[in-house]
Amino acid sequence: MVFTTEFSPLLEDYDKNERLTMAAILQYFENAGSRHSDAAADSAIKVSETLGVAWVLTDWKICVSEFPRYGQKIKVETWSEGLTSPFGTSRNFYLYADGALAVEGTSKWVRLDLKTGRPMKVEADLLDRYGPEPGKKVFGGEKLEKISLPEAFEAEKKIQLRRSDFDFNDHVHNLNYYDFALEVLPSGTDGSPEGAAKNLRVSYKTALKQGDEAVAKFARDGDKNIVGIYSGAGVLACAIELH
């Protein structure tokens, strides 16, 4: 089942050149997946509260062919590939601007027992409710490439965590790590109109929680901009690659 939903972008979703930002694209993809979960009777907040389980995002890959422009109609298609491991699934996305395909993406998810903090097997009947499309893939079905972090970084910046950074699971919300990365990137490589990255790869390692500190570290590798988000204790929380 390919789940389709539409979005009405807000003013803050655009840069000064009237282009939809990467941050907004991530939000639309996340919310499209959430709407699909609601339709499958697998509401994220309700299931977390009542059953103590959750889908935990581990990876993103986003490729932009053309950034949608202000005033264009936005439609997102999303679908599950079904089980890609005993504990998880992949969810894919297409974003259309005025009917033309503008962005494609994929994400990986693990079903987590919130009490033990360990992955749990995904029930077949749960995924059946999503109407999986195992043969419908993006990026030619290629496996997600690993992000290689450098031994040394060129710059780093401490990030003061705010209450608004935390979601209903009391973890830093996954999309906020991208915002943290923007704080350490040099001017012109940060998704601004002069240097908007069209390719994004994100890999989540350990969730930042209440009481943690965050440090964003940057290095350049050829045409790629690499950011590691670490806890104050030096534990890697998230790796991000943009180009």
Side-chain angles (χ1 to χ4, degrees), residues 188-200:
T189 62
D190 57 2
S192 66
E194 292 77 18
K198 286 190 170 184
N199 300 280
L200 174 68

Side-chain angles (χ1 to χ4, degrees), residues 84-105:
T84 51
S85 78
F87 308 107
T89 185
S90 292
R91 172 179 288 282
N92 300 328
F93 303 88
Y94 286 148
L95 184 148
Y96 298 86
D98 284 347
L101 181 60
V103 187
E104 60 183 315

Side-chain angles (χ1 to χ4, degrees), residues 71-237:
Q72 290 188 304
K73 292 183 179 180
I74 303 299
K75 180 182 74 173
V76 173
E77 293 180 349
T78 185
W79 64 95
S80 167
E81 287 189 24
L83 281 178
T84 51
S85 78
F87 308 107
T89 185
S90 292
R91 172 179 288 282
N92 300 328
F93 303 88
Y94 286 148
L95 184 148
Y96 298 86
D98 284 347
L101 181 60
V103 187
E104 60 183 315
T106 191
S107 56
K108 294 176 67 175
W109 300 80
V110 171
R111 195 71 164 173
L112 194 72
D113 184 323
L114 296 176
K115 295 179 181 179
T116 65
R118 294 182 177 181
M120 57 186 294
K121 288 187 177 181
V122 182
E123 307 93 331
D125 62 333
L126 171 61
L127 276 188
D128 286 345
R129 298 205 301 265
Y130 282 88
E133 300 275 352
K136 188 175 175 65
K137 301 180 182 295
V138 294
F139 308 125
E142 295 180 357
K143 291 184 178 180
L144 294 182
E145 64 278 8
K146 183 179 179 181
I147 300 174
S148 296
L149 293 174
E151 294 183 1
F153 289 90
E154 301 171 27
E156 67 176 62
K157 184 172 184 179
K158 290 185 178 180
I159 306 293
Q160 183 67 45
L161 298 181
R162 308 163 300 172
R163 286 191 200 174
S164 58
D165 289 322
F166 296 89
D167 60 21
F168 61 89
N169 282 321
D170 294 323
H171 297 166
V172 168
H173 188 62
N174 68 82
L175 301 189
N176 290 2
Y177 292 92
Y178 175 78
D179 295 335
F180 297 165
L182 298 185
E183 293 298 318
V184 75
L185 288 171
S187 176
T189 62
D190 57 2
S192 66
E194 292 77 18
K198 286 190 170 184
N199 300 280
L200 174 68
R201 176 78 176 87
V202 184
S203 183
Y204 301 97
K205 302 300 183 181
T206 304
L208 293 174
K209 302 177 182 179
Q210 295 281 357
D212 281 337
E213 297 178 340
V215 180
K217 300 183 180 183
F218 162 79
R220 183 175 284 109
D221 181 11
D223 65 342
K224 296 178 181 179
N225 298 289
I226 311 296
V227 176
I229 309 295
Y230 294 82
S231 72
V235 177
L236 178 65

Side-chain angles (χ1 to χ4, degrees), residues 4-142:
T4 302
T5 187
E6 295 182 354
F7 291 91
S8 299
L10 303 174
L11 186 62
E12 58 263 32
D13 294 338
Y14 296 94
D15 63 26
K16 66 182 182 181
N17 283 357
E18 302 186 354
R19 298 186 304 193
L20 199 68
T21 65
M22 183 68 81
I25 291 168
L26 285 168
Q27 289 175 10
Y28 295 169
F29 282 178
E30 179 183 69
N31 285 311
S34 178
R35 292 176 185 181
H36 191 187
S37 291
D38 290 344
D42 189 31
S43 171
I45 296 178
K46 185 179 295 185
V47 170
S48 172
E49 291 180 344
T50 60
L51 300 180
V53 299
W55 287 109
V56 175
L57 178 64
T58 65
D59 292 271
W60 280 112
K61 180 178 179 179
I62 309 291
C63 292
V64 178
S65 299
E66 189 68 34
F67 283 101
R69 297 284 176 166
Y70 184 79
Q72 290 188 304
K73 292 183 179 180
I74 303 299
K75 180 182 74 173
V76 173
E77 293 180 349
T78 185
W79 64 95
S80 167
E81 287 189 24
L83 281 178
T84 51
S85 78
F87 308 107
T89 185
S90 292
R91 172 179 288 282
N92 300 328
F93 303 88
Y94 286 148
L95 184 148
Y96 298 86
D98 284 347
L101 181 60
V103 187
E104 60 183 315
T106 191
S107 56
K108 294 176 67 175
W109 300 80
V110 171
R111 195 71 164 173
L112 194 72
D113 184 323
L114 296 176
K115 295 179 181 179
T116 65
R118 294 182 177 181
M120 57 186 294
K121 288 187 177 181
V122 182
E123 307 93 331
D125 62 333
L126 171 61
L127 276 188
D128 286 345
R129 298 205 301 265
Y130 282 88
E133 300 275 352
K136 188 175 175 65
K137 301 180 182 295
V138 294
F139 308 125
E142 295 180 357

